[in-house]
Amino acid sequence: MKGDTMALLKAEHVTKQYGGRTIIKDINIELHRGELVSLLGVSGSGKTTLFHVLSGLIAPEEGRVFLEGEDITAHPGKISYMMQKDLLLPHKKIIDNVSLPLVLHGTKKKEAREKADPLFEEFGLDGTQYQYPCQLSGGMRQRAALLRTYLSSGGVALLDEPFSALDTITKSAIHRWYLDVMEHIDLATLFITHDIDEAILLSDRIYILNGSPGEIKDEIIIKEKKPRAEDFYLTDRFLEYKREIIRRM
């Protein structure tokens, strides 16, 4: 937590049930401006259900969600949510894929393209505007999906295992790139992963969500400055974090 400063995104006492079964229970989390916070837990612990609540796609049985102090519970479209697959539309050019959220919110196609186009260089995508998804590598498709997410973000992005399908070398490169982009565009990120190494390398803080129903079991603060050194995962400090997380899960 960052002292007494107002959280950019905050969930208070969120509980969600399906068919009479409680999936997540009494969840309290915060995301502050400029942070990357990971939600770490095993499959079935309710991570994606929590994201559905935070994004407004579903209403909780109990609890509220706030964005900069505004109650956004069950109000979709306030913050962006990127799922595991990039979900780019194969028949649309990349510029129209990434500007789609603007069009869906009433912006004319030409104006949406004009707003999106200057960001292609920032996201390492310049020159791909008029290509189709099938012409891009997996890493480039993820960058395009992240740009689309940013254009509908409201300053907050919810990412659900967005890098899990990438090979190790590509994943490492896109990790460094994403942290750099976050800093430049002032984007806060809540990040689902079940990969402990990834959580340690990327996060300012890590929430551990586990159990049935899923509950926040602990919070780990990663003190090392980002971006971390390329060999950080080989250090004793990294292994200390990893052992601590495994012990608490």
Side-chain angles (χ1 to χ4, degrees):
M1 307 273 180
K2 292 198 172 184
D4 296 324
T5 58
M6 177 184 287
L8 189 58
L9 178 67
K10 187 174 186 177
E12 293 185 345
H13 304 293
V14 166
T15 295
K16 178 61 187 174
Q17 299 175 345
Y18 283 118
R21 176 173 169 256
T22 302
I23 307 300
I24 52 175
K25 180 181 177 182
D26 197 29
I27 301 293
N28 295 278
I29 61 172
E30 293 185 359
L31 177 68
H32 293 260
R33 195 170 300 279
E35 279 192 310
L36 191 152
V37 175
S38 286
L39 193 63
L40 181 65
V42 299
S43 297
S45 57
K47 301 185 298 296
T48 298
T49 296
L50 176 57
F51 264 31
H52 287 167
V53 173
L54 294 174
S55 63
L57 294 175
I58 59 175
E61 270 64 42
E62 298 176 19
R64 313 302 295 172
V65 179
F66 299 92
L67 179 65
E68 293 189 285
E70 175 191 356
D71 190 339
I72 62 166
T73 311
H75 286 85
K78 298 290 186 178
I79 56 179
S80 62
Y81 176 18
M82 179 178 164
M83 300 181 189
Q84 188 171 351
K85 295 182 179 180
D86 59 63
L87 299 180
L88 298 176
L89 300 175
H91 62 283
K92 284 187 176 291
K93 294 179 174 69
I94 297 301
I95 195 165
D96 294 321
N97 263 289
V98 303
S99 60
L100 184 61
L102 302 177
V103 174
L104 293 176
H105 281 86
T107 305
K108 299 291 186 183
K109 180 178 177 179
K110 183 174 183 290
E111 184 182 344
R113 281 183 166 189
E114 289 172 350
K115 185 172 182 178
D117 188 68
L119 292 165
F120 271 72
E121 183 175 0
E122 183 82 56
F123 276 71
L125 290 165
D126 202 25
T128 70
Q129 286 90 326
Y130 296 96
Q131 294 181 340
Y132 289 92
C134 65
Q135 297 175 277
L136 270 60
S137 67
M140 295 292 274
R141 287 170 63 102
Q142 288 303 95
R143 290 185 185 216
L146 287 163
L147 174 52
R148 180 185 58 196
T149 299
Y150 169 65
L151 285 169
S152 61
S153 68
V156 176
L158 307 180
L159 306 185
D160 190 347
E161 299 194 69
F163 310 135
S164 61
L166 301 177
D167 63 81
T168 302
I169 294 174
T170 302
K171 184 186 289 190
S172 178
I174 208 166
H175 281 168
R176 293 192 297 274
W177 165 81
Y178 185 70
L179 291 176
D180 185 56
V181 166
M182 271 187 64
E183 183 177 354
H184 278 84
I185 63 178
D186 193 24
L187 181 66
T189 302
L190 189 61
F191 186 92
I192 282 180
T193 184
H194 62 265
D195 184 332
I196 295 174
D197 290 7
E198 183 172 59
I200 297 170
L201 290 169
L202 291 177
S203 306
D204 296 290
R205 294 184 290 117
I206 300 170
Y207 286 116
I208 296 175
L209 177 68
N210 265 328
S212 183
E215 298 180 79
I216 299 295
K217 301 295 186 182
D218 225 320
E219 178 188 6
I220 307 289
I221 297 172
I222 308 297
K223 297 179 180 179
E224 279 68 24
K225 185 179 178 181
K226 296 183 305 182
R228 268 118 218 178
E230 289 189 16
D231 63 349
F232 177 57
Y233 69 97
L234 298 174
T235 64
D236 290 339
R237 186 63 178 139
F238 179 91
L239 294 175
E240 287 173 12
Y241 281 124
K242 190 167 185 176
R243 282 192 289 265
E244 183 67 10
I245 290 168
I246 292 171
R247 186 180 69 80
R248 298 192 190 191
M249 289 185 71

